[in-house]
Amino acid sequence: MPIVVDIDVMLARRKMSVGELADRVGITPANLAVLKNGRAKAVRFTTLAALCDVLECQPGELLRFEAEDGGHP
């Protein structure tokens, strides 16, 4: 999938665990793991906003596009 989720990077920068983030965002650790591991088919804007609020970041710091063929978009 060409959308890459960088939640791990932000968790490391904030020295926060997956469980703590899930608790503060209000989602289950299992659902956060699905999103974190790139297996999610969609993310609600309310969830994305909550992640950005808790992690004190912008959506572009959590999500990025990588072309599947290695070229530019």
Side-chain angles (χ1 to χ4, degrees), residues 33-60:
V34 167
L35 180 60
K36 185 175 75 74
N37 295 325
R39 294 189 318 262
K41 300 284 185 203
V43 60
R44 292 175 190 230
F45 282 152
T46 53
T47 302
L48 183 58
L51 286 166
C52 289
D53 185 43
V54 170
L55 293 170
E56 299 176 350
C57 67
Q58 294 294 312

Side-chain angles (χ1 to χ4, degrees), residues 8-55:
D8 282 338
V9 173
M10 294 307 295
L11 283 172
R13 288 182 184 164
R14 303 298 187 256
K15 295 180 173 64
M16 187 181 297
S17 70
V18 172
E20 180 183 352
L21 179 60
D23 191 46
R24 291 178 61 185
V25 169
I27 61 177
T28 66
N31 282 339
L32 182 56
V34 167
L35 180 60
K36 185 175 75 74
N37 295 325
R39 294 189 318 262
K41 300 284 185 203
V43 60
R44 292 175 190 230
F45 282 152
T46 53
T47 302
L48 183 58
L51 286 166
C52 289
D53 185 43
V54 170
L55 293 170

